[in-house]
Amino acid sequence: MGVRKLDFRKIRYISILLLGIVLAIFGGFFIQERWGGILVGLGAGLFGMSGAQLITERVMQRNPALQKKISIEQSDERNVQINNYAKAKAFEFATFLALPFFLILVLADVPLSIVLLSIAVYVADYAVYLWFLNKKMKDI
Amino acid sequence: MNNRLADFRKERGVTQEELADALEVSRQTISSIENGRYNPSIVLAFKIARFFQTAIEQIFIYDELEGEKDGC
């Protein structure tokens, strides 16, 4: 009693926030180097993401009604179904979009390594789809 | 699938908002079910039937012709 339960999510976000600050400051010393810029970008990204999450959690804690409403909206079966439908359509669209994209890369005389890398990403994406399809076929 | 959810709800004097809160779904889901735009999962159908203390088939009416059209 009286001892506040450790909120591991909060601790994780604070750790990421601090890591972001450290990376951004460290990167700032080497901003002339390419990796210095990457570190600043990464640090700012981590800082922004975890900071926003902490603020959101604080607002939620003060407003349980809002927290419940958002939780219901997120887990609502119709919303989940709509979201999954939209994701499936986006995947289908990306699948068709990839083919003319590869053609444009070839016609634009882009180095072969870039074309092959793009195709590898496309194949990996499709492999993930087939893996999950197979997994679900076995599971249900 | 046809349903009599709106009739049951109005008979009991329950608003869409209250029903949605009790079933922990969004109000839009209740509205879509009532309008026949969305068929609920079997779990939600059971929850609805339990809320009104009746059998599922009293609320949801399976029409074979409609079912074939929907691919059910």
Side-chain angles (χ1 to χ4, degrees):
Chain A
M1 271 204 324
V3 179
R4 285 184 68 181
K5 207 175 136 189
L6 276 177
D7 188 343
F8 287 105
R9 275 164 60 92
K10 205 177 226 175
I11 293 169
R12 192 176 66 197
Y13 288 130
I14 291 170
S15 308
I16 296 171
L17 184 104
L18 293 175
L19 179 71
I21 294 170
V22 170
L23 283 180
I25 292 172
F26 185 72
F29 287 120
F30 304 96
I31 198 72
Q32 300 301 325
E33 307 283 335
R34 181 186 287 181
W35 61 269
I38 292 172
L39 281 184
V40 170
L42 188 68
L46 291 176
F47 176 80
M49 185 191 75
S50 48
Q53 201 64 42
L54 282 168
I55 292 167
T56 306
E57 293 221 345
R58 200 173 168 79
V59 171
M60 294 285 199
Q61 270 176 357
R62 287 178 177 182
N63 197 340
L66 179 69
Q67 190 172 15
K68 193 183 176 207
K69 191 169 185 267
I70 290 173
S71 160
I72 285 174
E73 289 287 334
Q74 282 173 347
S75 60
D76 178 72
E77 65 171 47
R78 178 174 157 274
N79 287 348
V80 170
Q81 206 176 89
I82 291 170
N83 197 21
N84 288 343
Y85 176 81
K87 278 186 202 166
K89 282 288 169 194
F91 177 73
E92 263 178 45
F93 180 67
T95 307
F96 285 111
L97 200 67
L99 302 174
F101 175 68
F102 297 145
L103 193 65
I104 290 167
L105 287 184
V106 172
L107 293 175
D109 269 342
V110 168
L112 185 64
S113 57
I114 302 292
V115 177
L116 290 176
L117 187 68
S118 304
I119 293 172
V121 169
Y122 175 78
V123 171
D125 199 29
Y126 217 83
V128 170
Y129 161 71
L130 290 175
W131 188 80
F132 274 109
L133 193 72
N134 187 43
K135 186 177 180 293
K136 276 286 162 197
M137 286 284 189
K138 285 178 186 165
D139 286 352
I140 57 176
Chain B
M1 185 151 38
N2 297 319
N3 71 76
R4 296 175 50 224
L5 180 59
D7 298 337
F8 267 84
R9 186 177 59 72
K10 285 170 189 167
E11 268 172 29
R12 312 284 160 101
V14 180
T15 65
Q16 287 188 342
E17 197 78 53
E18 287 164 348
L19 182 60
D21 280 349
L23 300 171
E24 297 196 326
V25 294
S26 68
R27 194 199 56 78
Q28 289 94 326
T29 297
I30 300 298
S31 169
S32 294
I33 295 171
E34 287 186 0
N35 293 329
R37 287 197 306 264
Y38 174 68
N39 287 330
S41 69
I42 191 79
V43 174
L44 183 54
F46 265 108
K47 280 185 181 178
I48 292 169
R50 198 159 288 179
F51 179 86
F52 291 111
Q53 293 175 318
T54 188
I56 284 186
E57 55 268 38
Q58 294 296 317
I59 302 175
F60 297 97
I61 303 124
Y62 176 66
D63 181 338
E64 272 189 35
L65 286 174
E66 281 286 317
E68 277 169 24
K69 209 166 68 184
D70 295 343
C72 301

